[in-house]
Amino acid sequence: MTSPDKPRLNRDHVLSLLSDMIRVRKFEDKCAEMYTQQKIRGFLHLYDGEEAIAAGIIPLLDDEDRVVATYREHGHALLRGLPMSEIMAEMYGKVEGCSRGRGGSMHLFNARRNFFGGNAIVGGGLPLAGGLALRDRMMGEINVTACFFGEGAVAEGEFHETMNLAALWDLPVLFVCENNGYAMGSALARTEAETDISKKAASYGVASVVVDGMDVVAVEAAARKAIATIRDTGKPVFLECRTYRFRAHSMFDAQLYRPKDEIADWRKRGPIVQFQTWLLDNKLIHPEDVTRIEADADAEIAQSVAFAEAGSLEPLDTLDHHVLGPQPEMPEPTAPSGETVQMTYREAVKQAIRDAMIRDDRVFLMGEDVGAYGGCYAVSKGLMEEFGEDRIRDTPLSESGFTGAGIGAAAAGMRPIVELMTVNFSLLALDQIMNTAATIRHMSGGQFGVPLVIRMATGAGKQLAAQHSHSLEGWYAHIPGLKVLTPATVEDARGMLWTALQDPDPVLIFENVMLYNREEAIDTNAGPVDITRAAIRREGDDLTLITYGGSLFKTLEAAEALAADGISAEVIDLRSLRPLDDQTIMASLARTRRAVIVDEGWRTGSLAAEISARIMEQTFWTLDAPVGRVCAAEVPIPYPKHLEDAAIPQVAGIVAMAKSVMGRV
């Protein structure tokens, strides 16, 4: 609960502080014991020596405040109010665990307590915390998001990107660096040119405080002041707690990188022994108080172990649960008005964004140059003037930071549209997309989802050379927990976005750069579209051409050329790469018995290879010929126009492959 700036060291309060630290210490001692018995597996990172930080900070938070922790988060979880029995069951991998056994030691979650989990990616929780706070900033609510991380995280780009965003946007985050001096196994002086970590945050204009992390009273005093400042100003505060972990980085660690006498010296000034001795010496508590606290902790721990050992393992038939959330009903086609207008693909995307912003106040767009500049491809031109800088939000060039912020905002109930300028740049945000957006529902046992849309330009053809021109959407289609869309038509560019925003899971939309200027007629009553089904764009009897995105119109042109030679080709526009609509593909092949897949991705390990494999698995005995593939050449996309054209699928190549499959070479 929120309290005045200064701790009140009355008997009840000091007993509470001491009890919290002893409870955490004893719980972890038991976890270490259970680990040696192989009842807890995987990585186990213990908080031994750092208890004063969680004990001095987390009880000060309100219920509406949020906590983002690290992989060393057992103490944070206990002090946030997660039941010890559920935490222990999670360590055992039991379904009764706080994350249904899906997260384990490093991934404790609890939606009821606004505990957004431990994060096993160093620094990975920082952008998430920024996004949670961004939600509060945009909704005008001054809650506090407390984000805990170790000093090793300050070397990560996500630390610097989040500090900049927090200062730039006045995000109400309490950043808590638990500086234990070693990251994993390298002393701070070996890895950082500047070892005063508080200076790093201060350089971004974030108010920074250094405190003795072994002194629970000092930590609490600093935290009270920091939290009060955040509630008063809405601005972030950075709290560096200088501490020490007595145990190894994890239970796998032999700890050969630091001398035993160093550990022994730190133990003499550990947070529990230091505080307990001071309390006893000053007659604020009595020895029997300590005895009672320890006995209570032991009893609770024994009960939690019994609960965990009596728990159940999740049945194998639930293996695929909590990958995606409850699937929404797809929209029914809107009745055509009979009137059409000419519209470019670019304008269709813009109108889709505009429509979503009008329909839902939670929707906002953010990305590099989406506001004042109007977007690299002019998609968002004019939207900032209409909706303001808060909802059309220009970001720094920090893909991981602002993508992670979008993930956090979505997890907190917003509906962000994140624009990544090109698919190549998206690789800078791949950590956040794959390790957070795609996994948080699974790791939390279904407690948290990320209803986020990420848009990006993809594909070659504009002579932008090798770092702006690739088609990597097939890579993202490899990742469970994501949905991947590739609108090719103006109608899909206009209609997919709203449907995607209704989805409980992260949806990636890939817009081929060669389509932005394409103009088509669209019904004035066109609305949201189904994003789960492929579409037959041309019917045929002799073979099936399967493609998506920027290659659709080349494939349709190839089908016209084939028709002139007496070959009737059916053209399937996949529209969705994850999930793939096997039903439409296989139904077409049941008629045509031949297939060619056109994919702008590289041939090796391509989406085309995946589709070909599915065809082999499901329709092999009905095929009349091997599946053909037309893919990008195995080279980085070249700059010269003639080489670029040769590197990606073209009409002539599609026609040649189709004729080969037909035996008409």
Side-chain angles (χ1 to χ4, degrees):
M1 60 181 179
T2 306
S3 304
D5 284 358
K6 294 183 179 179
R8 296 183 182 275
L9 297 181
N10 55 39
R11 174 176 165 80
D12 286 345
H13 187 55
V14 297
L15 282 173
S16 176
L17 289 173
L18 182 61
S19 177
D20 283 347
M21 291 192 291
I22 289 175
R23 181 170 174 257
V24 170
R25 176 74 60 85
K26 282 184 161 287
F27 173 81
E28 294 216 309
D29 287 345
K30 177 57 70 172
C31 288
E33 179 187 335
M34 294 297 100
Y35 189 88
T36 62
Q37 297 177 22
Q38 297 190 4
K39 293 182 177 180
I40 296 174
R41 304 301 298 269
F43 284 127
L44 179 64
H45 307 86
L46 299 177
Y47 203 51
D48 192 359
E50 303 181 41
E51 299 88 353
I53 302 171
I57 297 172
I58 292 179
L60 304 178
L61 299 172
D62 289 344
D63 289 344
E64 294 77 17
D65 296 331
R66 302 182 184 88
V67 176
V68 177
T70 75
Y71 48 78
R72 200 183 304 279
E73 86 273 29
H74 314 133
H76 309 87
L78 284 167
L79 296 178
R80 186 55 175 165
L82 277 67
M84 183 185 288
S85 58
E86 293 183 12
I87 297 174
M88 186 64 82
E90 186 63 33
M91 311 281 268
Y92 272 59
K94 299 294 182 69
V95 71
E96 293 82 5
C98 59
S99 303
R100 295 188 59 84
R102 300 274 175 146
S105 171
M106 296 186 288
H107 306 293
L108 307 176
F109 290 85
N110 189 290
R112 297 188 310 276
R113 301 299 301 148
N114 272 324
F115 194 81
F116 280 76
N119 197 310
I121 306 301
V122 175
L126 284 153
L128 177 69
L132 296 171
L134 176 59
R135 179 268 175 198
D136 288 336
R137 167 60 64 195
M138 294 184 71
M139 299 300 287
E141 298 177 16
I142 305 297
N143 300 314
V144 174
T145 295
C147 180
F148 295 83
F149 52 95
E151 80 288 345
V154 305
E156 297 284 356
E158 283 153 320
F159 169 83
H160 296 276
E161 293 179 19
T162 303
M163 286 300 128
N164 184 46
L165 283 175
L168 183 67
W169 291 346
D170 289 342
L171 302 181
V173 184
L174 175 61
F175 294 104
V176 183
C177 178
E178 300 177 320
N179 180 359
N180 64 42
Y182 276 94
M184 183 172 173
S186 297
L188 195 61
R190 289 180 180 272
T191 59
E192 290 294 315
E194 173 56 75
T195 58
D196 187 341
I197 290 172
S198 66
K199 288 183 179 179
K200 297 177 188 287
S203 71
Y204 291 98
V206 177
S208 301
V209 179
V210 178
V211 66
D212 180 0
M214 308 300 269
D215 182 344
V216 68
V217 176
V219 171
E220 183 183 343
R224 285 178 183 274
K225 185 174 181 180
I227 291 169
T229 298
I230 294 169
R231 295 201 196 283
D232 183 49
T233 67
K235 295 183 177 182
V237 175
F238 184 88
L239 187 59
E240 180 189 347
C241 301
R242 294 179 178 173
T243 184
Y244 194 86
R245 54 174 168 80
F246 299 150
R247 289 182 180 264
H249 169 72
S250 76
M251 291 293 287
F252 278 127
D253 174 13
Q255 272 198 104
L256 301 179
Y257 48 84
R258 58 183 185 177
K260 292 182 179 178
D261 57 349
E262 177 183 297
I263 301 171
D265 181 58
W266 273 96
R267 277 198 178 275
K268 292 175 186 176
R269 44 199 168 110
I272 295 175
V273 67
Q274 184 180 171
F275 189 53
Q276 182 176 303
T277 300
W278 181 78
L279 293 175
L280 290 169
D281 287 349
N282 287 277
K283 304 292 192 291
L284 291 173
I285 64 170
H286 307 294
E288 53 268 31
D289 292 319
V290 178
T291 301
R292 175 181 52 77
I293 288 171
E294 292 180 341
D296 288 347
D298 288 339
E300 185 183 12
I301 290 165
Q303 186 275 331
S304 73
V305 171
F307 179 83
E309 295 195 343
S312 52
L313 295 173
E314 196 160 357
L316 291 179
D317 61 8
T318 66
L319 175 63
D320 61 354
H321 289 194
H322 311 306
V323 178
L324 300 175
Q327 295 303 287
E329 293 290 329
M330 286 298 109
E332 294 293 330
T334 54
S337 67
E339 298 179 6
T340 62
V341 294
Q342 290 294 118
M343 185 179 292
T344 63
Y345 186 100
R346 172 184 293 104
E347 183 65 19
V349 177
K350 175 182 175 180
Q351 290 305 321
I353 297 170
R354 183 175 181 274
D355 177 60
M357 302 272 288
I358 292 169
R359 286 184 185 223
D360 191 339
D361 289 342
R362 299 172 300 169
V363 174
F364 66 98
L365 172 70
M366 68 174 173
E368 297 159 348
D369 294 317
V370 300
Y373 190 84
C376 177
Y377 292 96
V379 167
S380 53
K381 193 172 184 63
L383 291 181
M384 191 176 76
E385 288 80 356
E386 183 174 358
F387 295 101
E389 295 184 25
D390 199 42
R391 294 185 68 195
I392 305 295
R393 185 172 286 266
D394 280 322
T395 67
L397 277 65
S398 56
E399 286 82 1
S400 188
F402 69 73
T403 300
I407 293 167
M414 300 295 279
R415 293 294 183 271
I417 304 168
V418 172
E419 178 178 311
L420 294 167
M421 195 177 288
T422 80
V423 68
N424 296 72
F425 293 176
S426 77
L427 299 182
L428 296 167
L430 181 58
D431 170 36
Q432 286 293 320
I433 295 170
M434 186 176 80
N435 284 322
T436 302
T439 62
I440 196 169
R441 182 181 295 281
H442 174 82
M443 293 188 302
S444 69
Q447 294 178 79
F448 293 108
V450 181
L452 166 77
V453 170
I454 300 175
R455 298 173 40 252
M456 63 189 91
T458 187
K462 288 188 173 291
Q463 288 190 255
L464 300 179
Q467 293 183 338
H468 282 71
S469 302
H470 290 122
S471 295
L472 306 180
E473 46 270 24
W475 291 14
Y476 289 97
H478 180 67
I479 302 171
L482 302 179
K483 292 182 180 176
V484 177
L485 307 181
T486 55
T489 66
V490 167
E491 182 180 6
D492 278 355
R494 175 70 173 79
M496 280 187 170
L497 181 65
W498 178 251
T499 312
L501 284 166
Q502 308 313 300
D503 203 279
D505 303 302
V507 179
L508 276 56
I509 300 179
F510 292 85
E511 300 161 6
N512 191 281
V513 294
M514 299 304 290
L515 297 176
Y516 282 124
N517 290 331
R518 185 177 179 84
E519 188 173 283
E520 297 174 24
I522 184 172
D523 192 277
T524 57
N525 199 35
V529 298
D530 187 337
I531 61 173
T532 65
R533 307 293 295 180
I536 296 176
R537 301 298 186 189
R538 178 189 177 107
E539 294 184 348
D541 301 316
D542 296 328
L543 85 159
T544 301
L545 304 178
I546 303 166
T547 191
Y548 66 90
S551 292
L552 172 63
F553 298 100
K554 296 177 186 177
T555 304
L556 287 168
E557 187 178 339
E560 285 286 338
L562 290 167
D565 281 346
I567 298 172
S568 174
E570 184 149 288
V571 177
I572 294 179
D573 175 7
L574 291 171
R575 302 174 72 245
S576 169
L577 306 188
R578 188 176 187 102
L580 280 168
D581 180 5
D582 285 9
Q583 182 178 350
T584 297
I585 296 170
M586 305 313 159
S588 177
L589 284 172
R591 297 189 303 274
T592 67
R593 305 167 76 92
R594 295 176 176 85
V596 171
I597 305 161
V598 183
D599 176 7
E600 279 198 29
W602 290 299
R603 183 181 181 89
T604 301
S606 63
L607 182 77
E610 170 64 23
I611 296 169
S612 178
R614 292 191 185 201
I615 291 170
M616 292 296 103
E617 291 166 351
Q618 298 178 51
T619 68
F620 175 78
W621 299 110
T622 65
L623 295 179
D624 287 341
V627 174
R629 288 190 287 159
V630 183
C631 300
E634 303 277 319
V635 297
I637 299 299
Y639 166 70
K641 180 63 175 170
H642 69 295
L643 293 180
E644 181 181 41
D645 287 346
I648 60 176
Q650 301 294 351
V651 173
I654 300 169
V655 169
M657 180 58 71
K659 288 184 175 181
S660 174
V661 169
M662 292 294 298
R664 294 175 55 175
V665 179

